[in-house]
């Protein structure tokens, strides 16, 4: 099952995001094929304000565990993390 991790940064936390970003990117790369897509949300000026991460996991609890291991989460960057089951219908390269 696929899960969307919808992460909202705490206010005024851009520097924390920038400082933690290399570890976050390495963490995501370490997920291998379980990671389907990822990228930051941007405000109107182009500054990063959160993250969208799409992962494959056995359950919502497993997706939650992955989200809690993210260096961004460990650093306290996120104000909130919403986890939603997601069905990739359009332009899914793995669909038959």
């Amino acid at each position: 099952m696929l899960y969307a991790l919808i992460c909202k940064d705490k206010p005024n936390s851009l520097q924390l995001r920038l400082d933690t970003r290399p570890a976050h990117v390495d963490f995501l790369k370490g997920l291998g094929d379980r990671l389907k897509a990822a990228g930051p949300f941007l405000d109107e000026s182009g500054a990063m304000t959160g993250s969208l991460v799409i992962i494959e996991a056995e359950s919502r609890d497993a997706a939650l565990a992955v989200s809690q291991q993210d260096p961004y989460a460990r650093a306290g960057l996120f104000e909130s993390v919403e986890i939603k089951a997601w069905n990739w219908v359009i332009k899914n390269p793995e669909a038959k």
Side-chain angles (χ1 to χ4, degrees):
M1 167 116 4
L2 295 179
Y3 291 89
L5 311 178
I6 304 163
C7 310
K8 181 178 177 185
D9 292 357
K10 291 178 179 173
N12 304 310
S13 61
L14 181 58
Q15 191 58 54
L16 177 59
R17 173 177 273 275
L18 295 173
D19 292 345
T20 314
R21 192 162 198 271
H24 166 74
V25 170
D26 287 345
F27 170 77
L28 291 179
K29 288 179 180 178
L31 293 175
D33 291 341
R34 293 183 297 161
L35 177 67
K36 302 304 178 185
F41 291 112
L42 306 174
D43 66 14
E44 292 193 18
S45 71
M48 295 177 282
T49 61
S51 298
L52 172 63
V53 179
I54 308 292
I55 61 168
E56 185 173 10
E58 294 178 8
S59 66
R60 186 189 183 287
D61 287 343
L64 174 63
V66 169
S67 75
Q68 292 171 336
Q69 294 168 14
D70 187 322
Y72 279 168
R74 290 181 178 240
L77 175 64
F78 299 135
E79 178 176 84
S80 64
V81 177
E82 187 175 359
I83 300 173
K84 293 186 169 224
W86 187 65
N87 183 18
W88 192 353
V89 176
I90 306 300
K91 293 196 175 190
N92 180 346
E94 297 175 7
K96 296 179 183 179

